Amino acid sequence: MEKRGRLLTEENERIRTIATELQRAIVDKKASNEKEEERLTGRLTSMRDETERLKLIKDVEMRYVRAWEKARREQNVLRYELEMDERQETLNDHRICERNENCVNGALTRYQTRRMAFIKNRIEQWRQRYDREGEMHEKQICKVRNEIEDARKYLEKLTTEYRSNQQFIDTYLAEQAALKRQKEHEVHVERSTIRIQAWWRGIMVRRKLGPYRPEEKKKKRAIKTKK
């Protein structure tokens, strides 16, 4: 019986311990659930606030987009109107330029027509003048050719006369050169003769020969001749 009572006591203690642990676990779980609930509640509140903020931003953006679209449409309409005005002005300018060009082209056409007629007239005048001057130049060329031919013949005549005169001059110069050489030879011979005579006279004078002998020798010789 005691043993059984002790077992029951131990079992009761174990059950109380388990109950205490379970109670503590329940309390901890409850506290954890409360914290999680608070966290989720705060997150939900934050998400609601964020949703409201995003909705507000979306509304502002939509108003801004609608205002921007309206301004863009107005700007496009204004740009289109300005572009149409510019194109209309450009078209008017082109029409004015076209009228002016037509006037200028008409004036240029009339001027070119008159100019072409004037040029054709001048060409005809120059052609006639060219024909007249061509005939005159042809006559002058023939005259110059005849003069050149006459000058050539005269030059040939002068060349022939020059050759003849040159031959005469060459002959005359050759004769004069021969006469000069002969005269120089004669002068040389004469000078040589004079030198020889002077040399011989000097010998006769030094040796007292011939007419240069003294008078005494001449007399003695004359006496001997008489005997």
Side-chain angles (χ1 to χ4, degrees):
M1 290 294 290
E2 291 178 0
K3 184 178 181 180
R4 186 176 179 181
R6 192 171 52 254
L7 291 172
L8 289 173
T9 301
E10 291 177 357
E11 183 68 22
N12 289 330
E13 288 293 335
R14 189 174 64 81
I15 290 172
R16 280 197 297 271
T17 301
I18 293 171
T20 301
E21 291 177 356
L22 288 173
Q23 188 176 5
R24 188 180 296 114
I26 290 169
V27 172
D28 293 338
K29 184 66 175 175
K30 184 178 180 181
S32 177
N33 290 334
E34 289 177 355
K35 289 181 180 180
E36 182 67 20
E37 184 179 359
E38 290 178 358
R39 187 181 67 80
L40 292 175
T41 302
R43 185 176 179 183
L44 180 61
T45 302
S46 177
M47 290 178 67
R48 287 176 180 175
D49 294 339
E50 182 68 19
T51 302
E52 291 295 330
R53 188 179 67 82
L54 291 175
K55 184 178 179 181
L56 180 61
I57 292 173
K58 187 68 175 178
D59 293 338
V60 172
E61 287 179 351
M62 289 300 296
R63 287 196 298 272
Y64 174 77
V65 168
R66 285 194 292 270
W68 180 79
E69 287 290 338
K70 182 179 179 181
R72 189 171 66 86
R73 285 194 299 271
E74 292 177 354
Q75 186 178 6
N76 289 333
V77 171
L78 180 60
R79 185 183 295 111
Y80 174 76
E81 291 177 353
L82 291 174
E83 186 176 356
M84 289 300 296
D85 292 339
E86 290 178 356
R87 291 187 178 182
Q88 185 64 36
E89 185 177 358
T90 303
L91 181 61
N92 294 331
D93 292 338
H94 283 305
R95 288 175 179 173
I96 294 172
C97 290
E98 185 178 1
R99 286 196 298 270
N100 293 333
E101 288 178 357
N102 290 331
C103 293
V104 172
N105 288 331
L108 287 175
T109 302
R110 291 189 296 273
Y111 171 76
Q112 289 178 353
T113 302
R114 292 194 299 270
R115 184 65 178 173
M116 288 298 295
F118 174 76
I119 291 173
K120 288 181 180 179
N121 187 19
R122 293 291 293 174
I123 290 173
E124 182 63 23
Q125 292 177 0
W126 279 104
R127 188 184 63 78
Q128 294 176 1
R129 180 179 176 181
Y130 175 78
D131 293 338
R132 291 193 304 271
E133 291 181 353
E135 293 177 358
M136 182 177 66
H137 290 162
E138 187 66 27
K139 292 179 181 179
Q140 291 179 354
I141 290 171
C142 291
K143 182 179 178 181
V144 171
R145 286 177 179 173
N146 293 329
E147 291 177 354
I148 292 172
E149 183 65 21
D150 294 338
R152 186 184 63 79
K153 292 179 180 179
Y154 180 70
L155 180 61
E156 290 178 354
K157 181 180 178 181
L158 290 178
T159 303
T160 303
E161 292 179 357
Y162 170 77
R163 290 175 180 174
S164 177
N165 294 332
Q166 186 66 36
Q167 185 177 2
F168 173 76
I169 291 171
D170 292 339
T171 303
Y172 173 77
L173 292 176
E175 292 176 355
Q176 290 296 319
L179 291 174
K180 183 178 179 181
R181 287 194 299 271
Q182 183 178 358
K183 186 175 181 180
E184 290 176 352
H185 178 69
E186 291 176 354
V187 171
H188 177 69
V189 170
E190 184 178 357
R191 289 179 179 176
S192 299
T193 303
I194 293 171
R195 288 179 181 176
I196 293 171
Q197 289 177 355
W199 173 74
W200 179 248
R201 188 180 298 110
I203 291 175
M204 292 179 69
V205 170
R206 286 192 298 272
R207 295 185 179 183
K208 298 179 180 181
L209 298 175
Y212 302 101
R213 294 178 63 186
E215 291 295 332
E216 294 179 356
K217 289 183 177 182
K218 289 181 180 180
K219 290 180 178 180
K220 289 180 179 181
R221 189 171 182 181
I223 293 171
K224 288 180 179 180
T225 303
K226 289 179 179 181
K227 289 180 179 183

